[in-house]
Every structure is written in structure tokens, then in C-alpha cells.
Amino acid sequence: MLTEAELQKKWESLTFTDDFIFSRVMHDEHICRQVVELILGVRIGEIKYLSAQDEHKTDPDSMRIIMDVFLRDENRIINVEVQTGHKKELPKRSRYYQSVADVSTTSTGTKYRDLPENILIFICTFDPFDRGFPRYTFQYICNEDKRLKLKDGSIRIFLNTKATELSALDQKLQAFYHYLQEGEVCSTLTQEISNKITTLKNNSLERRSFMTLALKMADARYDGYEEGFDRGHEVGLQQGLERGAHQKAMETAKTFLSMGFSPEQVAQGTNLPLDIVQGLL
């Protein structure tokens, strides 16, 4: 169980790339707009937040996901996620996130032609594809003719904020990367983000909200550990018994074979597969 002192230390060490702080800061519309426009390189319209840290699913039996920042303007839906752990399934995860975003924002009777752009942004604190690029942008293209784009309105962007070669980015985006890498405040936007985080950390209600969430997550992990341990012990014991019974049957089969019983008779008497018994010969 985490102590009050441990929770306080964790709270003080949080940065922009921690889920709790990221979601809170990005719900400052002025900051959110600047971050999204900086990454996309285009102006966006009036922002409408669709959720924050809420569960989304397409039907009662589908897999649930939690989106960090989910918003839309007049022409597009945008999901911005911060990712600190290197997960190999990130590409397929991005596919599922975009599909859920489409389904959860499309009402019955909507024409396909009226579907808005669907943009997914992953801000990664690692290189998701190990190519060294500061950003990776994916859109569907035709294998037979690379010049032919599907133009279905879906875009996936992965920022590699650990990239060292940033010359391909404009200066404002470079400043954003430096802030995420070193905490260096060197632009108006990063100064606003830093000030917002300071304000959040001085808010006792936000601190208590974080500590409550952290305790719940710690309890869930501990309960999962105990359940896993008990299940592992149970499965291990069962497997041990099964292995012991199998070994005993093998020894019995060897004895019967040495006494002249046929493999068929031994297989029937020990419940071992015939090919296993024949292999003992």
C-alpha cells in the first residue's frame, strides 16, 4: 500500500507526459488548440470535448478503451494520446482506437460522405518504429501505385519525442520536443504548459483526486497479483499432479511391456496413447 509521503512524492514528480496531468492540461482549450495545431500544421475550428479519461466501447461486449483527450471541431474528430510504455501492439491499438472513435461519434442515418476526418495522435516518449524519425504519419495508399491515396479521411500520427534529429520540424515544434525531453521551457506554449502544471500541483483538490486514483490503481494491481498468485498456485499444483500421474503410468507401462503384454493391452490398461506405448519399445 502506498503511503501518504510516497503519493505526495509521486504527485510532485508528475510531468506533462503522465496521463493524469496530460488530460488535465489538455482540457485547457487554449493550450489544447495550440498543441493540436502545432502537430497538425493546420488551424482547427471551435473545439468540443467529447470525453476525458472515460471508457469507450462499441457495444456491451466489446473491448473497453480509455481515451486521454477526445475532441472534435466542425470537420474532424481528434484523439490525442500520450504513450510512455513501448508496446508492440501500438499499430493495432491505433486501428482499434480510430474505429471506436468513428462508431462512438456517428449517429444512425449518417451518410458515409458526411463522415469527418478521423485523426489519431500518439505522443510517444520513445521511438515507436525504431527508424529515428521525429514523427511518423500514416495514410492509406495503393500498393500498386504509391501516388494513389485512399483519401478516407483517416490519419495516424506518432510523435517520437526521443528523437535527436529535429531539423525537419519547425522551431515551435522543436521547442515542444525539447520541453518533453528535458523540461526546458523555451517557447510561449511550453511556458503556458509549465504554468498550468504548477497551478494544478498547487490545487489541493487535484492532488487529492490524483492520490485517490493512484490508490485505486494500486489496489487493483495488488488484487490482480493475489488472484494471479492463487491461480498460478492452483494451476501449478494441478500440473504437478498430472505430471506425476503421467510418470507413474509410464513406469507401469514399461513394467507391463517387459512382462510380455502387447502395446495395445498396455495402452488400454494405463490410458496412455498407443503411439506413446509403442515408443517405449
Side-chain angles (χ1 to χ4, degrees):
M1 180 66 67
L2 294 172
T3 66
E4 184 79 15
E6 289 171 330
L7 288 170
Q8 180 63 31
K9 184 177 180 179
K10 186 173 179 63
W11 169 248
E12 292 172 355
S13 69
L14 294 180
T15 66
F16 183 62
T17 55
D18 289 284
D19 283 339
F20 186 90
I21 293 294
F22 181 76
S23 179
R24 293 295 197 275
V25 172
M26 289 291 281
H27 264 67
D28 180 313
E29 185 176 337
H30 178 65
I31 292 177
C32 181
R33 176 183 299 280
Q34 291 184 80
V35 171
V36 172
E37 289 183 346
L38 185 61
I39 294 171
L40 296 182
V42 298
R43 299 292 299 273
I44 61 174
E46 182 181 354
I47 289 176
K48 176 184 178 183
Y49 288 99
L50 302 176
S51 71
Q53 292 290 326
D54 292 332
E55 283 191 347
H56 290 264
K57 55 184 179 177
T58 56
D59 63 66
D61 296 321
S62 65
M63 181 170 61
R64 295 169 173 79
I65 63 172
I66 296 178
M67 296 181 178
D68 288 338
V69 180
F70 191 27
L71 55 91
R72 73 172 302 158
D73 69 359
E74 295 90 340
N75 303 309
R76 52 183 76 85
I77 51 177
I78 304 170
N79 178 16
V80 188
E81 300 287 320
V82 62
Q83 187 67 50
T84 57
H86 200 321
K87 293 181 171 59
K88 292 183 178 179
E89 75 274 9
L90 196 56
K92 287 191 175 180
R93 181 180 176 187
S94 69
R95 164 184 151 185
Y96 188 73
Y97 270 52
Q98 278 199 307
S99 65
V100 172
D102 266 333
V103 173
S104 63
T105 58
T106 305
S107 58
T108 302
T110 300
K111 303 294 185 182
Y112 290 122
R113 63 174 177 269
D114 295 329
L115 289 175
E117 278 191 315
N118 185 336
I119 302 174
L120 174 61
I121 301 170
F122 270 106
I123 300 176
C124 302
T125 59
F126 54 90
D127 188 342
F129 302 103
D130 300 318
R131 298 297 180 89
F133 297 120
R135 68 182 288 157
Y136 302 87
T137 303
F138 293 89
Q139 292 176 281
Y140 294 112
I141 62 174
C142 177
N143 285 338
E144 289 72 24
D145 184 350
K146 306 299 183 187
R147 298 168 299 176
L148 178 60
K149 292 185 178 181
L150 187 59
K151 296 183 180 180
D152 65 340
S154 64
I155 303 173
R156 301 182 207 178
I157 299 171
F158 300 81
L159 300 190
N160 166 24
T161 64
K162 285 299 182 185
T164 55
E165 177 50 61
L166 304 178
S167 59
L169 308 178
D170 65 42
Q171 290 186 343
K172 290 183 178 180
L173 195 52
Q174 288 185 38
F176 182 64
Y177 272 60
H178 287 311
Y179 177 72
L180 297 182
Q181 292 173 352
E182 309 293 341
E184 177 186 355
V185 174
C186 51
S187 69
T188 302
L189 172 59
T190 56
Q191 184 64 67
E192 290 182 15
I193 293 174
S194 181
N195 292 343
K196 184 67 176 182
I197 292 175
T198 299
T199 300
L200 286 169
K201 289 187 175 181
N202 289 331
N203 187 315
S204 59
L205 292 178
E206 292 286 5
R207 182 178 71 250
R208 181 54 54 190
S209 177
F210 167 77
M211 291 182 174
T212 300
L213 178 63
L215 285 173
K216 287 182 179 179
M217 293 178 66
D219 286 344
R221 283 195 295 267
Y222 182 76
D223 291 343
Y225 168 81
E226 281 197 322
E227 180 181 347
F229 179 84
D230 291 342
R231 179 58 181 159
H233 182 269
E234 177 185 336
V235 171
L237 178 61
Q238 180 63 31
Q239 289 176 343
L241 291 173
E242 290 174 355
R243 283 196 295 269
H246 179 75
Q247 187 61 35
K248 180 64 176 177
M250 294 285 283
E251 294 298 329
T252 300
K254 291 178 182 178
T255 300
F256 285 166
L257 288 171
S258 67
M259 294 171 61
F261 287 93
S262 70
E264 290 76 13
Q265 290 173 317
V266 174
Q268 185 176 3
T270 60
N271 289 323
L272 289 171
L274 180 57
D275 61 333
I276 296 295
V277 176
Q278 290 172 333
L280 294 175
L281 289 174

